[in-house]
């Protein structure tokens, strides 16, 4: 019983924590972010398994995690509202060469982040060459240049 | 949600359909979440989740001959110390009984110094420790939390002194 409860509690807690962190936080993985993710994994592992290192426990925990994941994706498929709530929607942050400052501020982004994405994806070096920059649901920045 | 004044926050329909009302709620959730995390860190530094000023506690009997240092909050699977101080006659064995839910909620991992004798006493245990030349004795008990919830314990010495305390174990 406690394997299922542990897995469900950890799933829920991690989901809330990563929602608080925002979509952007771990989207562009730096070396340090990778290390941070591994440390989070380590910290989670003990709570997931407790002091029971049996094969059965591991399988129960994994089965529960996957079942919750499938369950949520099924609900998302049926309810657009739920899907929006969990995954959010895309947000435009540059429009016709203009930065939308209020949005950037709330999304904890700055001009540098957008220029970085523009350089690496499109070879663009100035904001005014950008028609649209969109912060996607997965935290990546899509950059669309002027024709 | 009221329509925002700033045009940056109005919905766009091209190239993607936006729902800025929802997005602003998401941003607000992130902001509130950030404060909640700070609060959580503050509270755990203060000891709400074991080991800190809020958690360290002492229970003392009315005559002062028996006092117990314990943690108000403990965590399932973690171990912590419980110290029972006794005051009696120099060089004489002191008898103390631990009753209540302590043995249900915790595993006793270590007991130092080793008691002279130990016996069961109802649901609890009875221990005899030898006092030093000043008549003092201290029993250090290392407990590993096993249960979840609130556990009330009563420690009694034969000279009538008794203390009661309760501990909460987080899952």
């Amino acid at each position: 019983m406690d394997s299922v409860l542990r897995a469900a509690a950890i799933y829920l807690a991690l989901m809330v924590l990563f929602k608080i962190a925002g979509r952007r936080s771990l989207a562009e993985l730096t070396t340090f972010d990778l290390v941070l993710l591994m440390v989070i994994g380590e910290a989670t592992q003990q709570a997931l398994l407790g002091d029971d290192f049996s094969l059965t426990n591991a399988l129960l925990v994994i089965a529960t995690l996957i079942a919750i994941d499938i369950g949520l994706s099924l609900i998302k498929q049926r309810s657009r509202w739920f899907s929006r709530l969990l995954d959010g929607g895309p947000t435009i942050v540059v429009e016709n060469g203009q930065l939308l400052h209020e949005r950037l501020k709330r999304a904890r982004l700055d001009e540098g982040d957008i220029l970085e994405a523009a350089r690496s994806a499109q070879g663009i070096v100035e904001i005014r060459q950008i028609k649209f920059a969109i912060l996607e649901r997965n935290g990546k920045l899509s950059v669309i240049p002027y024709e | 949600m009221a329509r925002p004044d700033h045009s940056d926050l109005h919905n766009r329909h091209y190239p993607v359909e936006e729902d800025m009302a929802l997005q602003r709620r998401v941003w607000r959730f992130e902001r509130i979440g950030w404060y909640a995390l700070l609060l959580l860190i503050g509270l755990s530094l203060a000891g709400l989740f074991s080991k800190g000023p809020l958690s360290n506690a002492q229970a003392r009997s009315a005559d002062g001959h028996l006092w117990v240092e314990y943690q108000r909050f403990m965590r399932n699977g973690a171990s912590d110390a419980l110290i029972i101080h006794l005051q009696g006659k120099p060089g004489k064995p002191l008898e103390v009984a631990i009753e209540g839910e302590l043995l249900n909620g915790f595993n006793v991992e270590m007991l130092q110094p080793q008691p002279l004798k130990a016996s069961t006493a109802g649901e609890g245990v009875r221990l005899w420790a030898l006092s030093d030349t000043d008549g003092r004795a201290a029993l250090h008990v290392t407990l590993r939390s096993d249960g979840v919830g609130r556990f009330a314990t009563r420690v009694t010495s034969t000279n009538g002194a008794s203390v009661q305390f309760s501990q909460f174990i987080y899952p």
Side-chain angles (χ1 to χ4, degrees):
Chain A
M1 183 189 88
D2 68 323
S3 316
V4 174
L5 294 181
R6 276 169 190 275
I10 289 285
Y11 191 102
L12 198 74
L14 283 182
M15 199 163 74
V16 171
L17 282 173
F18 277 81
K19 284 287 154 209
I20 291 173
R23 53 186 159 176
R24 197 57 202 153
S25 296
L26 293 169
E28 311 280 338
L29 275 187
T30 63
T31 316
F32 181 72
D33 290 336
L34 185 70
V35 174
L36 195 66
L37 267 186
M38 282 160 63
V39 175
I40 293 173
E42 288 277 316
T44 313
Q45 184 227 353
Q46 291 282 321
L48 272 177
L49 296 180
D51 51 6
D52 179 351
F53 299 117
S54 63
L55 191 66
T56 312
N57 191 32
L59 287 176
L60 286 175
V61 166
I62 294 169
T64 310
L65 290 175
I66 292 178
I68 297 173
D69 214 46
I70 296 173
L72 284 182
S73 66
L74 285 176
I75 300 174
K76 275 191 232 169
Q77 213 175 24
R78 273 173 213 164
S79 156
R80 204 175 117 76
W81 175 83
F82 192 71
S83 157
R84 287 233 141 186
L85 189 76
L86 280 195
D87 291 338
T91 311
I92 298 167
V93 287
V94 176
E95 191 178 39
N96 302 322
Q98 296 292 317
L99 290 166
L100 300 175
H101 288 284
E102 280 301 310
R103 295 179 175 205
L104 287 174
K105 196 174 83 188
R106 285 175 167 77
R108 286 181 276 136
L109 283 173
D110 60 22
E111 194 177 338
D113 295 315
I114 291 167
L115 282 174
E116 190 181 310
R119 283 195 302 272
S120 61
Q122 303 282 348
I124 291 175
V125 292
E126 281 182 79
I127 293 288
R128 61 186 173 79
Q129 295 172 273
I130 300 173
K131 187 159 167 60
F132 292 111
I134 301 161
L135 178 58
E136 302 290 356
R137 294 190 308 179
N138 63 6
K140 299 256 191 312
L141 277 166
S142 306
V143 178
I144 299 156
Y146 276 108
E147 299 289 319
Chain B
M1 193 177 289
R3 193 174 159 80
D5 298 330
H6 203 291
S7 68
D8 275 9
L9 298 175
H10 295 171
N11 278 335
R12 292 342 191 232
H13 303 286
Y14 180 82
V16 289
E17 190 68 36
E18 289 186 326
D19 182 351
M20 284 310 285
L22 177 80
Q23 189 55 52
R24 291 173 72 217
R25 275 202 291 272
V26 169
W27 283 329
R28 185 168 335 142
F29 174 79
E30 286 175 13
R31 175 47 66 100
I32 294 168
W34 156 240
Y35 292 127
L37 291 183
L38 288 182
L39 183 71
L40 187 77
I41 292 169
L43 286 175
S44 51
L45 284 177
L48 185 66
F49 305 102
S50 177
K51 293 184 182 131
L54 281 177
S55 180
N56 300 336
Q58 250 192 34
R60 196 175 276 272
S61 69
D63 61 3
H65 285 180
L66 169 70
W67 72 100
V68 179
E69 290 175 48
Y70 66 99
Q71 295 281 326
R72 271 193 201 103
F73 304 105
M74 296 177 81
R75 294 191 283 235
N76 180 288
S79 58
D80 254 305
L82 175 81
I83 309 171
I84 301 171
H85 297 272
L86 297 158
Q87 174 77 53
K89 295 196 179 73
K92 288 272 165 49
L94 295 164
E95 188 183 334
V96 64
I98 304 173
E99 294 155 325
E101 296 164 323
L102 186 89
L103 297 175
N104 298 333
F106 303 89
N107 283 325
V108 177
E109 288 210 315
M110 209 167 57
L111 193 59
Q112 271 188 327
Q114 283 292 316
L116 296 172
K117 260 198 315 186
S119 76
T120 54
E123 276 188 58
V125 287
R126 196 176 290 277
L127 305 167
W128 283 264
L130 201 60
S131 62
D132 64 9
T133 49
D134 297 326
R136 281 196 299 257
L139 278 170
H140 294 252
V141 189
T142 307
L143 299 172
R144 181 175 293 278
S145 312
D146 207 12
V148 171
R150 183 166 285 283
F151 293 89
T153 303
R154 182 189 180 86
V155 178
T156 321
S157 78
T158 35
N159 56 26
S162 118
V163 296
Q164 255 183 317
F165 57 92
S166 80
Q167 290 168 295
F168 183 83
I169 307 177
Y170 288 100

